[in-house]
Amino acid sequence: RRRALTGACAQVERIERRCLELFGRDYRYSVIPNAHGEVCAHYPRHIVLLERDAGRDPFESPVQVGKLQDLINRSKMARCRGRFVCPVILYKGKHICRSATLAGWGELYGRTGYNYIFSGGSDDAWADAEDISEEDSALRNADSQLFDKVRGHDIKLLRYLSVRYICDLMVENKKVKFGLNVTSSEKVDKAQRYADFTLLSIPYPGCEFFKEYKDRDYTAEGLIFNWKQDYVDAPLSIPASLTQSLNIDWSEYQSWDLVQQTQNYLKLLISIINSDDDSGLLVHCISGWDRTPLFISLLRLSLWADGLIHASLEPSEILYLTVAYDWFLFGHMLVDRLSKGEEIFFFCFNFLKHITSEEFSAVKSQRRKSLPPGFTLEEICMLKQRDRGSTTSLSSDFSLGMESSPGAAGSFTYEAVELMPAGAQTQAAWRKSCASSPQAVLWSRAQYSEDRLPSTGMVEVKSSSSSSSTHSDNFLRIGSSPLEVPRSR
């Protein structure tokens, strides 16, 4: 057991080093150490603060790592599970951040050592009462002071990161467990502590809803969330000033299917970060490890596809970075989600085929890079070495090496597969030859029996300057939809 844990730690360290190397390709950055979870047990052991794009972007963040670390240590109790506001993307000098929602009365008192079951409160939103005893009044005053303190530190952190926009993906105003308000939200803070921020309530289904996505053979079209459930009490609320240019009828949001809802929310986020001001953005759901990485990952990939961030990274490298950093190292519980069929992780990357048009581009005059005509990512991955006869490079000569690596448990093991395009004759020959091959069966996720699915995994991508590597003819991909691979600039 000790040997297995040691091996897992070594694999995590290798993943972390690779993420730092990929960040360092384009950015000057500092690291907030979190080796033993002393800052947050659910965050990476090396929390990256991007300071400046080392390439053509002239913008530089004024944030200093020492000051940031001090504010984080003071503010981390303000949010669920200690998952504080953390900057993860730097775009035009703006920090795009992620976090969990605000800690409510139940969690805050539990984590501060109070016996909250007998303290008689429910978050900081106290019920109106005419007759309040002196003891109750004193208790409530103490509670209010506690919320003022911890949320005050949270607000200082937000302001230091120049965050103005807070996008809340919760479908609830507060998360209730066992009759207690465990978590809260900025939008229902009765003391109006967050009134100076631009609050957006954009309710989005939780990971449980993606069980229906899986049960519908991974078809998101036509899949509509049931907004009439008892616990759903957070309406969509967006300032009109942010919606005027989008040409979206937001009043119809409850009739959108999962594809249209995700598309419209992503358009909104891109519009916010692409505005002329220098304000940052915070995206969060409840715990910040399902819906939050979904939109953070889509934003990172979309901005990269426009050539606006991570400009030097190849397709395999940006994929590695977002899977490893945005999902794995920030605590997405893939094993648990797979066991329950809540496949929001798969939906994230399957959804990329729905955002290839220029309406999702942050640079309208620039065409988004896409795969050369006639090929999908899966088809390229399936090509054998002898079939790759084209001299037109998809990106640069690189290989996609998949290694087993730790999730919460289990691992994927992939053989190295080189990504290079081929000519029309090769395409036709390959498609004809593989039509009846065993590999062709693997493309259909519905046909692939669940008892053979790997339990979890992390995909590690290695860049390569040589095309003489040994490649396997077999490539097992868990997923069924073609993803476009951006062309190198």
Side-chain angles (χ1 to χ4, degrees):
R1 178 180 175 86
R2 182 178 300 176
R3 187 180 298 111
L5 289 175
T6 302
C9 289
Q11 288 178 315
V12 173
E13 289 176 0
R14 187 173 68 248
I15 293 169
E16 291 171 332
R17 288 195 302 270
R18 179 63 170 155
C19 287
L20 293 178
E21 189 269 327
L22 293 175
F23 277 122
R25 295 271 192 92
D26 297 283
Y27 294 94
R28 189 180 71 197
Y29 68 86
S30 296
V31 170
I32 297 175
N34 185 39
H36 304 290
E38 60 271 26
V39 182
C40 178
H42 308 280
Y43 275 8
R45 300 190 304 177
H46 302 286
I47 300 171
V48 175
L49 170 64
L50 299 178
E51 298 172 340
R52 187 180 186 277
D53 190 325
R56 58 185 176 178
D57 191 344
F59 300 98
E60 182 171 3
S61 169
V63 175
Q64 298 178 355
V65 67
K67 175 67 172 178
L68 178 64
Q69 189 167 0
D70 179 63
L71 288 171
I72 286 172
N73 288 328
R74 293 173 182 270
S75 69
K76 58 186 180 181
M77 286 183 57
R79 294 194 172 263
C80 177
R81 306 179 189 275
R83 293 172 67 91
F84 57 86
V85 176
C86 183
V88 288
I89 298 174
L90 183 65
Y91 172 60
K92 291 185 176 180
K94 307 174 186 180
H95 288 290
I96 300 173
C97 306
R98 62 181 293 171
S99 74
T101 191
L102 295 178
W105 175 87
E107 182 180 1
L108 186 57
Y109 269 87
R111 295 200 346 253
T112 52
Y114 284 88
N115 189 354
Y116 60 87
I117 294 178
F118 300 101
S119 60
S122 57
D123 202 353
D124 59 337
W126 297 100
D128 293 331
E130 295 181 0
D131 299 323
I132 302 177
S133 67
E134 291 184 4
E135 291 82 0
D136 287 339
S137 179
L139 181 61
R140 295 187 179 191
N141 286 336
D143 290 334
S144 180
Q145 291 174 7
L146 178 59
F147 277 100
D148 284 341
K149 180 179 180 180
V150 296
R151 293 189 179 173
H153 288 311
D154 181 67
I155 289 170
K156 288 180 181 178
L157 174 58
L158 287 166
R159 287 175 175 164
Y160 187 62
L161 291 168
S162 299
V163 170
R164 174 184 172 188
Y165 304 99
I166 300 177
C167 293
D168 182 352
L169 295 163
M170 295 170 60
V171 298
E172 313 96 332
N173 285 323
K174 300 179 182 182
K175 185 69 174 179
V176 179
K177 286 189 176 182
F178 309 112
L180 294 175
N181 290 320
V182 181
T183 68
S184 185
S185 171
E186 300 92 350
K187 61 181 178 280
V188 292
D189 182 76
K190 287 295 182 66
Q192 296 292 304
R193 300 177 184 90
Y194 292 85
D196 291 338
F197 297 89
T198 301
L199 305 180
L200 297 87
S201 175
I202 49 174
Y204 190 84
C207 61
E208 301 85 358
F209 182 64
F210 290 84
K211 174 66 163 60
E212 297 186 37
Y213 167 67
K214 175 181 181 293
D215 292 343
R216 294 178 83 250
D217 195 20
Y218 303 94
T219 302
E221 294 86 348
L223 179 58
I224 301 175
F225 181 67
N226 179 11
W227 297 96
K228 299 186 182 300
Q229 299 174 79
D230 292 340
Y231 71 95
V232 179
D233 60 357
L236 184 140
S237 177
I238 307 171
S241 59
L242 299 178
T243 62
Q244 294 172 351
S245 62
L246 293 176
N247 194 28
I248 296 172
D249 186 356
W250 294 97
S251 66
E252 297 293 324
Y253 78 97
Q254 294 189 356
S255 66
W256 296 339
D257 65 15
L258 187 58
V259 170
Q260 190 175 6
Q261 186 180 21
T262 310
Q263 286 177 325
N264 288 340
Y265 284 8
L266 183 60
K267 288 179 185 177
L268 175 66
L269 295 178
I270 292 173
S271 175
I272 290 173
I273 63 174
N274 215 34
S275 59
D276 293 332
D277 63 19
D278 57 356
S279 301
L281 166 71
L282 168 64
V283 178
H284 75 75
C285 50
I286 296 178
S287 294
W289 53 36
D290 289 302
R291 289 167 285 185
T292 298
L294 167 65
F295 283 98
I296 291 295
S297 189
L298 290 177
L299 275 174
R300 192 184 299 279
L301 292 170
S302 183
L303 292 173
W304 169 82
D306 291 328
L308 299 174
I309 63 173
H310 303 293
S312 69
L313 298 190
E314 300 290 355
S316 61
E317 293 168 333
I318 189 65
L319 175 64
Y320 182 97
L321 182 63
T322 191
V323 170
Y325 195 73
D326 296 329
W327 290 88
F328 175 64
L329 294 176
F330 269 90
H332 178 65
M333 297 184 291
L334 181 60
V335 175
D336 177 76
R337 300 301 182 249
L338 287 175
S339 69
K340 297 175 181 177
E342 299 167 353
E343 299 201 29
I344 188 171
F345 176 81
F346 175 73
F347 171 77
C348 175
F349 300 97
N350 188 29
F351 178 75
L352 294 177
K353 62 186 178 182
H354 296 293
I355 58 171
T356 58
S357 65
E358 291 198 24
E359 62 182 323
F360 298 97
S361 174
V363 183
K364 298 301 181 182
S365 61
Q366 177 179 338
R367 290 184 58 84
R368 292 165 76 84
K369 294 158 291 174
S370 61
L371 193 67
F375 264 116
T376 65
L377 172 61
E378 288 91 341
E379 292 172 346
I380 291 177
C381 289
M382 287 286 287
L383 287 175
K384 298 179 181 179
Q385 177 67 37
R386 64 178 180 270
D387 293 329
R388 299 187 183 120
S390 173
T391 59
T392 304
S393 176
L394 172 65
S395 49
S396 59
D397 185 11
F398 65 96
S399 63
L400 180 60
M402 307 298 191
E403 295 183 319
S404 63
S405 55
S411 65
F412 288 144
T413 301
Y414 292 87
E415 297 294 334
V417 180
E418 183 172 305
L419 293 178
M420 289 184 65
Q425 291 181 346
T426 303
Q427 295 180 35
W430 174 78
R431 285 177 175 145
K432 181 178 179 180
S433 66
C434 77
S436 58
S437 69
Q439 293 95 323
V441 180
L442 299 181
W443 294 132
S444 172
R445 187 170 185 140
Q447 294 174 344
Y448 194 67
S449 60
E450 287 207 9
D451 59 343
R452 295 178 60 195
L453 283 175
S455 60
T456 185
M458 178 55 51
V459 177
E460 177 157 349
V461 181
K462 288 184 176 179
S463 60
S464 171
S465 58
S466 172
S467 59
S468 61
S469 306
T470 302
H471 300 280
S472 171
D473 289 345
N474 297 320
F475 179 72
L476 170 61
R477 179 186 182 275
I478 306 304
S480 59
S481 68
L483 307 181
E484 291 202 335
V485 178
R487 183 196 310 266
S488 67
R489 287 169 297 285

